[in-house]
Amino acid sequence: MTAKPYIDLLFFGDLVGKPGRMAVKAYLESLPERPDVVIANGENISHGFGMLRKHYDEMHEAGVHIFTSGNHIWDQKEVFTFIDEVNLLRPYNFPSNSPGCGAKIFQLPNCEIGVINMIGQVFMGNYNSPWEQLDELVYDMLAVTPMIFLDFHAEATAEKMAMAWHASSLGVSAMTGTHTHVQTADSKILNNRMGYITDTGFNGSYNSIIGMEAAGSLQRLKSHIPTRLSVGPDDILQVNAVRFTIETKTGVCRKVERINEVLTYTGESILPLSAR
Ligand SMILES: [Fe+2]
Ligand SMILES: [Fe+2]
């Protein structure tokens, strides 16, 4: 489909509330050239919990082509009214009668790419096996395109690394973990094929606890009383993303670049922290 020898796939870890949307928009606007594929995890995009249509539209307009998600996807009930109409995946190994879909081949201007969203089982919910379904899924997608991206939304590092070994042997081009909201320093290429990072991290409030206001998280942990959490402040923002450079003919990932930037919001514009 594409004549380009390589494509750039930019993935943003979980966007947490308004600071997450602000950070990603500012980062995309700052790029001299837009990547061919922009994917983001949107499970926390609306007030930290789930996704509203207006926030999907806002970020789609800003340049995010496709959203993956995770355990928070159903937090905003409005999502049931639009998940089938937009480029938003929920984990593939949710119960089979769940709304939406968990894997799809997307046609973008410069490429055709298969995107898969899976959720882990270790320290997570009682989900179906992500292992039993992946082989057939990748096999079917490879018949259409050599480029496949996997977001494995999981808690345990070892489960994510095990999935990475398996996915790379099946022929996946790029994989990231999400859910822990902390970027890991282990980006690499596995089996001479797949770009990988255990977790891309999150986009949102820098002075926060994984994107949420510290006071509420502390209150919840110290008191064991259910406490409503709110999104952290937006004066300083962080961008956590990973850029994969993938050979279009073969689907082999040649380069993985971690992006971890801090921006400051002046009330009018968003600038690199150093320009404050
Ligand atoms: Fe998340
Ligand atoms: Fe999650």
Side-chain angles (χ1 to χ4, degrees):
M1 184 179 182
T2 178
K4 293 182 78 170
Y6 296 95
I7 58 140
D8 270 339
L9 188 165
L10 182 62
F11 178 80
F12 292 97
D14 306 38
L15 276 64
V16 183
K18 190 179 176 192
R21 304 194 305 274
M22 290 166 67
V24 168
K25 266 195 279 190
Y27 183 79
L28 284 171
E29 280 167 15
S30 76
L31 295 176
E33 201 179 331
R34 291 297 173 101
D36 302 283
V37 187
V38 180
I39 306 176
N41 189 299
E43 71 155 6
N44 308 110
I45 199 169
S46 297
H47 317 298
F49 300 96
M51 181 184 278
L52 295 169
R53 178 67 193 251
K54 64 180 178 182
H55 295 145
Y56 173 89
D57 290 340
E58 178 187 334
M59 296 314 299
H60 195 61
E61 205 169 299
V64 178
H65 298 115
I66 301 157
F67 281 99
T68 53
S69 64
N71 53 304
H72 285 292
I73 182 61
W74 307 137
D75 287 359
Q76 305 281 349
K77 302 309 169 206
E78 190 188 290
V79 74
F80 297 120
T81 68
F82 70 88
I83 192 167
D84 289 323
E85 297 168 14
V86 298
N87 295 344
L88 167 63
L89 300 179
R90 48 82 175 162
Y92 188 83
N93 53 326
F94 270 6
S96 58
N97 60 354
S98 300
C101 75
K104 197 172 170 182
I105 293 172
F106 292 91
Q107 311 274 345
L108 296 175
N110 289 327
C111 69
E112 194 170 38
I113 185 162
V115 181
I116 302 170
N117 193 183
M118 287 282 183
I119 195 163
Q121 294 177 304
V122 180
F123 308 128
M124 299 290 284
N126 190 19
Y127 301 109
N128 292 328
S129 169
W131 306 97
E132 288 175 2
Q133 307 179 62
L134 191 67
D135 298 40
E136 201 179 336
L137 191 53
V138 172
Y139 182 82
D140 288 348
M141 279 186 165
L142 285 174
V144 181
T145 174
M147 292 186 285
I148 299 177
F149 171 79
L150 168 63
D151 175 357
F152 187 45
H153 196 77
E155 179 75 37
T157 301
E159 189 186 24
K160 289 193 248 195
M161 293 191 84
M163 177 57 79
W165 275 103
H166 186 56
S168 63
S169 71
L170 294 176
V172 170
S173 302
M175 172 188 154
T176 177
T178 52
H179 180 68
T180 66
H181 289 206
V182 176
Q183 187 173 86
T184 54
D186 63 339
S187 51
K188 59 181 154 187
I189 293 173
L190 281 176
N191 284 328
N192 296 316
R193 167 82 192 177
M194 188 185 81
Y196 171 69
I197 187 166
T198 297
D199 205 295
T200 297
F202 84 95
N203 294 272
S205 174
Y206 179 83
N207 282 313
S208 70
I209 297 174
I210 61 169
M212 307 306 279
E213 198 181 27
S217 297
L218 286 170
Q219 170 72 9
R220 182 189 271 195
L221 288 164
K222 287 159 86 174
S223 70
H224 289 244
I225 296 169
T227 308
R228 189 167 174 78
L229 300 178
S230 48
V231 170
D234 62 10
D235 55 337
I236 304 179
L237 309 169
Q238 71 174 56
V239 176
N240 277 182
V242 178
R243 185 185 282 262
F244 302 92
T245 305
I246 302 169
E247 202 171 58
T248 49
K249 201 171 167 188
T250 61
V252 171
C253 183
R254 298 293 183 195
K255 193 174 162 195
V256 189
E257 181 194 353
R258 283 190 289 126
I259 296 155
N260 185 356
E261 288 197 8
V262 182
L263 308 171
T264 182
Y265 178 50
T266 64
E268 286 177 5
S269 52
I270 299 174
L271 304 164
L273 190 61
S274 56
R276 219 179 174 190

